[in-house]
Amino acid sequence: MKKLLFSILCASPSLLFAQGSQVNLQSPKAVGMGGAGSAYFLDESSIFYSPGALAKMDHNAISVAGNAVMYKSAFQEVGSTVVYHTRNQISTPFSLFAAFGPKNSWWKAGIGVYTPYGGAVDWGKDWVGKFSLVSLSLRAIYIQPTLSFKLTENFSVGGGFVYNIGTVDLENSVPVFYPDGHAGLATLKGTGTGTGYNVGIHYNLEDEFAISVSYRSKVVTKLKNGDATFDVPESVASNFPAGNKFSAELPLPSTFAVGMAFPLSEKLKMAIDATLINYDIYKALDFDYKENTPVLQDTHSPKKYDKAGSVKAGLEYIASDCLQLRIGGGVIATPVQQSAYVYPETPDNTRYLISGGFTIKPSPKIDVTGSFAYQRIVARPSTNVESHLSGTYATNIFAPGVGVSYKW
């Protein structure tokens, strides 16, 4: 059995953990505007989007939001007419934000608990690429206490410490076979932690023109003593120690974002956000097993990721004091410029995003917001450098969401 098998097994988590279903789902209001709005929305979600804007809130608030992200991908191997589809899988990123402090003061404090990265994909055990990936579920939960200060009536700054809890659950077929012909199965499960920070500034003019600049640091998630289990025939079980453990590091990239907001009319507002994501942090992905055998060796997988960016824009129409309507869209560049480094957990390419949403206010203190985002990842032919799996991927991502905010 080739050591290459395990290089493939352990290379899979990195891109999904970094980009996966990254649609900026922390606020359904921003999602409705294509993910833009870091300079526009002065509310508790500024803890994530632009900590400097938090101090400009004239109230206290708490909000909770959730999404149902559905990842739909298909693969057709070169020379075949068979199309393989991922199974129905829903991941549920969420956010909880709270902002508090004296009303109309020069400072505001807050805390955010949110999932900026992660997703789930399940190709099943019968598709042609099962030795590259069967299923993968990943989640990063950030906990971010934040402070924001208004230095002048127009200019404010803020920042927060980030503590990340990340989980990984990966399954991969192993090319050893039971008498009935079905392949063995490897499962990796682990939990890791990492730290970082999020800082931002916000500036606005009297005519509602505003600009925000924010920087979210990289967060290196260290997985230690994860469980590596193998379902294999008894004849080869000695090559796969029972109760084995593994360790690894999964880096989440830093981002630099600039946002603008301005009125088009009394009731129509526009927001534009541009983001640079430093995916080139990925130099290699290494997995260290506690117990090694001639077959099961520690792995080193070189990566070929580049910096990538996105541009998103959206409109909000203020229909009345109790109803706002939103629409937006964007383009998200891929960090995987070389098709040889496309993997089935997220067969990445340039993404196009469209979205819409609304907010209704059943009372002056309560907002109920709904949103829907759709991403289309451009179809991409690929021959993977490690597995040599060759074919074309086509992917769509759907993300309905809802949120409730209470103000006082």
Side-chain angles (χ1 to χ4, degrees):
M1 187 186 306
K2 298 180 180 179
K3 176 184 172 183
L4 174 61
L5 162 68
F6 295 97
S7 295
I8 299 168
L9 171 65
C10 298
S12 295
S14 57
L15 183 58
L16 182 59
F17 211 69
Q19 178 143 332
S21 300
Q22 190 187 48
V23 202
N24 284 340
L25 295 173
Q26 286 65 45
S27 166
K29 291 181 180 179
V31 171
M33 296 178 70
S38 62
Y40 180 56
F41 295 109
L42 302 180
D43 61 21
E44 59 276 13
S45 68
S46 298
I47 291 170
F48 169 77
Y49 289 101
S50 181
L54 192 67
K56 294 182 178 179
M57 290 179 62
D58 59 3
H59 59 276
N60 297 323
I62 184 170
S63 65
V64 60
N67 297 269
V69 178
M70 293 163 280
Y71 175 93
K72 306 286 187 180
S73 192
F75 176 80
Q76 184 173 0
E77 190 178 16
V78 170
S80 173
T81 59
V82 178
V83 179
Y84 299 92
H85 297 270
T86 55
R87 297 178 176 180
N88 291 330
Q89 193 88 341
I90 297 177
S91 60
T92 54
F94 67 91
S95 64
L96 171 66
F97 295 109
F100 46 87
K103 291 186 178 181
N104 300 309
S105 177
W106 58 275
W107 68 274
K108 189 76 73 174
I111 187 166
V113 181
Y114 54 91
T115 50
Y117 300 105
V121 59
D122 185 354
W123 285 94
K125 299 176 184 177
D126 298 320
W127 82 295
V128 68
K130 61 181 177 291
F131 298 120
S132 296
L133 182 70
V134 170
S135 67
L136 180 61
S137 176
L138 296 165
R139 172 170 285 185
I141 300 176
Y142 279 18
I143 303 170
Q144 182 190 320
T146 300
L147 284 173
S148 182
F149 304 96
K150 189 159 53 173
L151 303 183
T152 71
E153 284 301 311
N154 303 96
F155 183 73
S156 57
V157 301
F161 169 79
V162 169
Y163 181 76
N164 172 45
I165 302 172
T167 61
V168 178
D169 188 345
L170 180 151
E171 288 186 334
N172 207 78
S173 290
V174 179
V176 294
F177 298 93
Y178 286 88
D180 64 1
H182 80 271
L185 186 70
T187 303
L188 298 181
K189 292 184 178 181
T191 300
T193 60
T195 58
Y197 59 89
N198 183 0
V199 295
I201 62 175
H202 188 275
Y203 179 79
N204 67 280
L205 298 175
E206 298 301 327
D207 63 355
E208 298 184 66
F209 174 86
I211 184 169
S212 72
V213 179
S214 63
Y215 177 78
R216 293 186 286 274
S217 75
K218 69 178 181 181
V219 176
V220 178
T221 302
K222 297 182 179 181
L223 303 173
K224 296 181 179 180
N225 295 316
D227 296 320
T229 59
F230 302 91
D231 178 6
V232 296
E234 186 66 29
S235 59
V236 296
S238 61
N239 289 315
F240 306 92
N244 206 356
K245 301 289 184 178
F246 73 93
S247 298
E249 290 187 356
L250 298 176
L252 302 175
S254 61
T255 64
F256 177 78
V258 177
M260 293 187 298
F262 47 90
L264 298 179
S265 70
E266 182 179 353
K267 291 191 173 185
L268 187 63
K269 318 296 181 181
M270 185 170 189
I272 302 173
D273 279 30
T275 304
L276 176 66
I277 309 173
N278 295 308
Y279 288 114
D280 56 350
I281 187 177
Y282 297 112
K283 305 301 181 185
L285 186 64
D286 300 323
F287 273 63
D288 179 16
Y289 289 95
K290 184 177 181 179
E291 296 183 58
N292 296 117
T293 70
V295 170
L296 183 59
Q297 296 290 310
D298 297 337
T299 63
H300 173 80
S301 180
K303 315 307 293 183
K304 297 288 185 179
Y305 298 153
D306 297 318
K307 296 179 186 292
S310 66
V311 177
K312 301 170 183 176
L315 298 171
E316 180 181 69
Y317 178 70
I318 304 173
S320 70
D321 292 339
C322 299
L323 176 65
Q324 289 89 49
L325 303 174
R326 304 181 184 95
I327 190 170
V331 179
I332 307 166
T334 178
V336 187
Q337 299 300 321
Q338 300 182 41
S339 62
Y341 291 89
V342 172
Y343 290 88
E345 79 282 1
T346 301
D348 208 64
N349 202 0
T350 299
R351 300 170 177 225
Y352 295 98
L353 163 70
I354 59 172
S355 68
F358 64 89
T359 293
I360 57 175
K361 298 183 178 183
S363 79
K365 292 187 176 183
I366 298 176
D367 289 357
V368 179
T369 301
S371 64
F372 182 85
Y374 164 72
Q375 281 192 30
R376 176 179 175 269
I377 303 179
V378 176
R380 185 166 195 176
S382 170
T383 300
N384 185 269
V385 67
E386 293 180 298
S387 67
H388 306 295
L389 182 65
S390 184
T392 298
Y393 295 94
T395 305
N396 297 285
I397 300 173
F398 306 87
V402 65
V404 178
S405 176
Y406 177 77
K407 297 177 281 187
W408 71 92

